Amino acid sequence: MKKILLDVHTHTIASGHAYSTLQEMVQAAADKGLEVFGITEHGPRIPGSCPLVYFRNMFVVPRQMCGIRLLMGCEVDILDTQGTLDLDDEYLDRLDIAIAGIHRYCWEGGTKEENTAGVIKVIQNPKIHIISHPGDGTAELDFESLVLAAKEAHTLLEINNHSLAPQRKKTVARDNNLEILRLCKKHDVPVILGSDAHITFQIANYDRLLPLLAETEFPDELIMNYSPQKFFDYVGIK
C-alpha cells in the first residue's frame, strides 16, 4: 500500500460515542504523517451527537494544526428515500467537507429502487463530497447506479474500514464493498478509503480493506487517499 496522506472521515467525543478529543485526534494524525485530516462529527439526528450550534461555531477551530491541514465537517444523515438531510444548506455551507450517509437510527427506507433514488439525489447535491459506507447493508442499494451517478457528479463513494469490524455484525459489508470496488474499477471511478475513526488509534487504519483491494486488484490511481491535491480537485474543495 502506498503512503496514506489523508483521512477525512473521523469523529471526536463531540459525536457522543467516540473517545478522543479534537486536539488528540489532530496530533495523532500528524504523528502518523498525514497531510490532510478531516473531523466529520455526526449530524444532529444521531442520538447524543452535536447540536446545530456546534456546526455554527466551527470557525473558531484553526485549519492548520500540528503541521497538517484540518477540514472541519459533518457526516450528515440521509433521512429518507427523498434524499432529505439533517443539515440544511445554511449549515452545509459552513462545512469544509460534507459526507452524507445512511444510519439505522434515523433512516426511513423503502424498496431497493426507492433507496437508490434517494441516495442518488444526495450524490447529485453539489454540497456533498462523499457518500459514507454505502456498502454496509443498512439500506439495500443498486451499486452500479450509484457508481455511475458518482462518476457524473464527482462525488466519492467511501470504502469504510469500520463497517467491516466483526463486532458490528454487518454481514453483507464485505461482499457489498467488493462489488463497489469491482464496479468502480470497471467504470474508472475513484473511491476514498474511510477509517471512520472513533478513537486516535483508528486514524488512517484500513487494515480490513487491504484484502478487498488485493482481491479486486484495485488500481492505486483510483484511491484518493494517496494524493490530497487530486482529492481536492476531484471533489471541488479549494
Side-chain angles (χ1 to χ4, degrees):
M1 194 173 195
K2 293 174 63 176
K3 181 174 175 56
I4 296 293
L5 297 178
L6 78 156
D7 184 3
V8 294
H9 181 181
T10 72
H11 303 275
T12 78
I13 55 173
S15 281
H17 58 275
Y19 300 93
S20 302
T21 67
L22 184 151
Q23 286 165 277
E24 288 169 342
M25 293 288 279
V26 174
Q27 183 62 64
D31 292 344
K32 292 189 177 187
L34 298 189
E35 294 180 3
V36 176
F37 185 59
I39 290 178
T40 49
E41 308 295 5
H42 281 288
R45 289 290 289 273
I46 294 290
S49 191
C50 308
L52 288 175
V53 68
Y54 171 90
F55 302 103
R56 183 176 291 276
N57 199 44
M58 288 194 307
F59 70 90
V60 305
V61 181
R63 297 315 201 258
Q64 292 286 335
M65 295 176 63
C66 305
I68 63 177
R69 178 174 175 179
L70 176 62
L71 302 176
M72 292 295 293
C74 179
E75 186 182 9
V76 187
D77 294 296
I78 304 173
L79 302 179
D80 55 36
T81 59
Q82 302 305 307
T84 308
L85 303 175
D86 66 346
L87 288 185
D88 62 21
D89 285 355
E90 176 192 354
Y91 285 91
L92 292 175
D93 286 340
R94 296 175 181 272
L95 307 178
D96 302 329
I97 184 170
I99 300 174
I102 293 172
H103 300 92
R104 64 182 178 87
Y105 302 103
C106 50
W107 164 249
E108 295 183 13
T111 66
K112 181 178 182 178
E113 292 73 22
E114 290 168 338
N115 297 341
T116 301
V119 175
I120 287 175
K121 285 185 180 179
V122 179
I123 287 172
Q124 293 170 339
N125 184 335
K127 299 181 187 297
I128 299 299
H129 305 109
I130 297 169
I131 301 297
S132 60
H133 45 72
D136 73 356
T138 303
E140 190 178 6
L141 298 164
D142 180 342
F143 295 125
E144 187 150 30
S145 295
L146 296 189
V147 167
L148 293 174
K151 182 175 186 176
E152 183 176 355
H154 276 219
T155 302
L156 291 170
L157 300 180
E158 180 194 60
I159 309 299
N160 185 283
N161 196 71
H162 194 52
S163 298
L164 296 175
Q167 299 88 338
R168 306 209 57 208
K169 300 180 180 179
K170 294 188 175 293
T171 57
V172 300
R174 187 180 191 279
D175 287 345
N176 283 351
N177 280 287
L178 282 171
E179 183 179 355
I180 294 169
L181 286 170
R182 291 187 180 110
L183 287 166
C184 286
K185 181 180 176 181
K186 172 185 174 182
H187 294 291
D188 196 33
V189 180
V191 302
I192 191 159
L193 309 182
S195 72
D196 202 352
H198 285 66
I199 193 168
T200 56
F201 309 109
Q202 295 178 331
I203 292 170
N205 181 4
Y206 308 110
D207 59 338
R208 300 183 185 96
L209 304 183
L210 298 180
L212 279 63
L213 297 172
E215 184 172 337
T216 57
E217 298 182 338
F218 198 78
D220 285 346
E221 58 268 23
L222 293 180
I223 298 174
M224 287 294 191
N225 304 72
Y226 302 143
S227 174
Q229 193 57 56
K230 188 175 179 180
F231 165 73
F232 290 135
D233 291 344
Y234 189 83
V235 300
I237 294 177
K238 296 181 179 180

